[in-house]
């Protein structure tokens, strides 16, 4: 059919004896019937011929707005009578329009963004990993700490390892790195620097989140390669001090002193996990402790030790008071 209305052009019909004005009126009415919302009034002019007769002509055709506007835009000037085939008066679909679903582009864009994001994360991992191993080990972690301007024993480094869900200390795998940075929504050292304080702030106010970090810390301290299942007391003391950088319980320092004085060899997982409940439920003076509850025996020893210390202090105070009298 072509891309415009030229295919509908019809040669002028033979001259009749009917009035030109009436003939044009009939044509106009027909067009209005076919395109009631889009036709405009035609301009009629007359022109004189040498024989004195006047002949009506259509000098201008208005635009059929919206009908085939994607193809031609306007109807060309036609002299004489215009006849449109009734078979084509229905709305003609525009040509050349894209039928592509715009959502496909969004999907492709999201896929491209994800790919670029993972490329950055892998490149960052490659910057710190060992030359001959696909792991970030002690040297790489030390360089990460330097770039983050943090000490290796900083609480934020423990938080960072927790967000990576690292299986063991002084080692990050590629998968841990990629998944962890994705969960943090970071892709550079600078963005990690900005994100860590926000996570620390959340840990200080969110008990459930801190509990997850606390339990991770025990597993993180174990030497997996040696098959450790009990945390050495020296390591446990270091990690207790570190993890309680926020939300420190009042009795923590007395608990750590007790462990050091009694030369406890190791801390099982249950003892580590239950200490958080113990510290939260027992008051600073240990008055709420009930030895009938199923606490680890190490807690019983600690409370007994603390009560002895308290009694000794009371006895000493009484002795000093009696001496003053």
């Amino acid at each position: 059919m072509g891309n415009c209305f030229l295919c509908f052009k019809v040669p002028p019909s033979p001259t009749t004896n009917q009035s030109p004005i009436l003939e044009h009126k009939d044509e106009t009415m027909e067009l209005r019937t076919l395109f009631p919302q889009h036709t405009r009034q035609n301009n009629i002019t007359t022109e004189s011929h040498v024989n004195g007769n006047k002949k009506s002509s259509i000098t201008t055709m208005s635009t059929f707005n919206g009908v085939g506007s994607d193809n031609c835009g306007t109807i060309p000037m036609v002299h004489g009578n215009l006849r449109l085939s009734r078979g084509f008066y229905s709305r003609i679909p525009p040509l050349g329009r894209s039928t592509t679903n715009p959502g496909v582009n969004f999907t492709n864009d999201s896929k491209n963004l994800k790919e670029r994001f993972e490329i950055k994360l892998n490149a960052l991992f490659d910057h710190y990993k060992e030359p001959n191993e696909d792991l970030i080990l002690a040297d790489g972690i030390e360089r990460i700490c330097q770039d983050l301007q943090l000490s290796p024993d900083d609480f934020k480094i423990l938080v960072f390892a927790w967000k990576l869900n690292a299986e063991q200390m002084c080692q990050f795998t590629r998968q841990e790195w990629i998944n962890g940075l994705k969960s943090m929504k970071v892709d550079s050292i600078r963005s990690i620097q900005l994100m860590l304080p926000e996570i620390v702030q959340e840990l200080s106010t969110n008990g459930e989140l801190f509990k997850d970090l606390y339990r991770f810390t025990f597993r993180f301290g174990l030497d997996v390669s040696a098959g450790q299942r009990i945390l050495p007391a020296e390591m446990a003391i270091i990690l207790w001090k570190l993890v309680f950088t926020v939300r420190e319980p009042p009795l923590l320092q007395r608990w750590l002193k007790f462990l050091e004085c009694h030369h406890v060899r190791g801390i099982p997982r249950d003892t580590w996990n239950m200490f958080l409940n113990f510290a939260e439920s027992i008051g600073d003076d240990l008055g709420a402790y009930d030895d009938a509850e199923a606490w680890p025996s190490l807690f019983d020893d600690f409370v007994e030790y603390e009560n002895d210390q308290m009694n000794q202090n009371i006895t000493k105070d009484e002795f000093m008071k009696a001496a003053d009298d």
Side-chain angles (χ1 to χ4, degrees):
M1 288 171 51
N3 288 333
C4 67
F5 279 92
L6 288 176
C7 55
F8 299 127
K9 183 177 178 181
V10 180
S13 59
T15 303
T16 65
N17 294 329
Q18 296 178 349
S19 168
I21 300 300
L22 293 176
E23 180 182 66
H24 172 68
K25 182 177 180 181
D26 293 339
E27 294 171 353
T28 303
M29 293 300 293
E30 182 179 359
L31 286 174
R32 287 178 178 173
T33 302
L34 299 177
F35 302 95
Q37 300 298 325
H38 302 285
T39 55
R40 296 178 181 173
Q41 185 177 358
N42 297 325
N43 297 324
I44 309 297
T45 60
T46 58
E47 56 184 5
S48 301
H49 293 272
V50 294
N51 59 3
N53 296 326
K54 293 183 179 180
K55 181 179 180 182
S56 173
S57 63
I58 301 175
T59 59
T60 305
M61 288 293 296
S62 61
T63 304
F64 285 77
N65 296 328
V67 181
S69 58
D70 290 335
N71 302 325
C72 296
T74 60
I75 303 292
M77 185 185 297
V78 180
H79 294 279
N81 298 328
L82 178 67
R83 293 289 187 270
L84 294 176
S85 170
R86 293 184 180 273
F88 299 97
Y89 76 87
S90 60
R91 187 171 187 268
I92 302 203
L95 301 179
R97 289 190 179 184
S98 173
T99 58
T100 304
N101 185 348
V104 174
N105 291 333
F106 289 128
T107 302
N108 290 337
D109 289 344
S110 299
K111 183 178 179 181
N112 291 336
L113 286 173
K114 181 180 179 181
E115 290 176 352
R116 289 197 297 270
F117 184 59
E118 291 196 0
I119 288 173
K120 291 187 70 174
L121 300 187
N122 277 289
L124 194 59
F125 180 86
D126 292 338
H127 178 69
Y128 294 109
K129 80 178 189 68
E130 292 297 302
N132 300 321
E133 291 188 74
D134 200 35
L135 293 170
I136 296 177
L137 300 179
D139 290 342
I141 292 175
E142 184 177 354
R143 288 191 290 125
I144 291 172
C145 293
Q146 292 173 353
D147 292 344
L148 290 173
Q149 299 178 345
L150 295 173
S151 170
D153 59 355
D154 193 291
F155 176 64
K156 291 177 183 176
I157 297 300
L158 175 63
V159 171
F160 183 58
W162 168 60
K163 295 303 290 184
L164 298 189
N165 196 27
E167 285 293 328
Q168 67 182 82
M169 198 175 291
C170 297
Q171 175 178 302
F172 297 145
T173 68
R174 184 179 294 272
Q175 199 60 45
E176 290 169 351
W177 182 267
I178 299 297
N179 292 340
L181 266 59
K182 280 183 179 179
S183 70
M184 295 173 66
K185 297 181 174 58
V186 295
D187 61 2
S188 66
I189 288 295
R190 179 56 180 162
S191 57
I192 295 171
Q193 281 181 315
L194 295 174
M195 181 58 66
L196 285 176
E198 295 184 16
I199 300 173
V200 171
Q201 179 61 33
E202 189 176 6
L203 284 166
S204 65
T205 58
N206 189 322
E208 287 301 315
L209 203 63
F210 178 79
K211 184 177 181 180
D212 189 70
L213 169 66
Y214 179 81
R215 294 193 170 188
F216 162 83
T217 303
F218 178 87
R219 174 173 62 82
F220 185 62
L222 294 175
D223 187 348
V224 178
S225 60
Q228 276 186 351
R229 302 182 63 181
I230 295 178
L231 202 60
E234 297 81 0
M235 178 61 70
I237 291 172
I238 292 172
L239 292 178
W240 259 315
K241 290 179 179 178
L242 183 60
V243 74
F244 281 120
T245 299
V246 297
R247 304 177 69 91
E248 179 179 334
L251 55 77
L252 177 65
Q253 297 305 320
R254 285 184 288 165
W255 167 254
L256 298 180
K257 182 181 178 181
F258 164 77
L259 295 178
E260 291 171 344
C261 292
H262 287 72
H263 306 289
V264 177
R265 296 183 60 184
I267 302 296
R269 183 186 298 271
D270 288 345
T271 301
W272 175 276
N273 290 341
M274 292 185 72
F275 177 76
L276 184 61
N277 298 331
F278 172 77
E280 290 176 348
S281 61
I282 303 302
D284 187 27
D285 61 354
L286 305 179
Y289 183 76
D290 183 359
D291 56 7
E293 294 185 18
W295 294 112
S297 60
L298 191 60
F299 294 172
D300 294 333
D301 295 341
F302 168 67
V303 173
E304 183 179 353
Y305 170 79
E306 283 296 304
N307 288 334
D308 289 343
Q309 294 294 110
M310 188 177 298
N311 292 333
Q312 289 177 9
N313 291 336
I314 293 175
T315 302
K316 182 178 180 181
D317 290 342
E318 289 178 348
F319 176 79
M320 294 299 294
K321 184 178 178 180
D324 292 338
D325 292 340

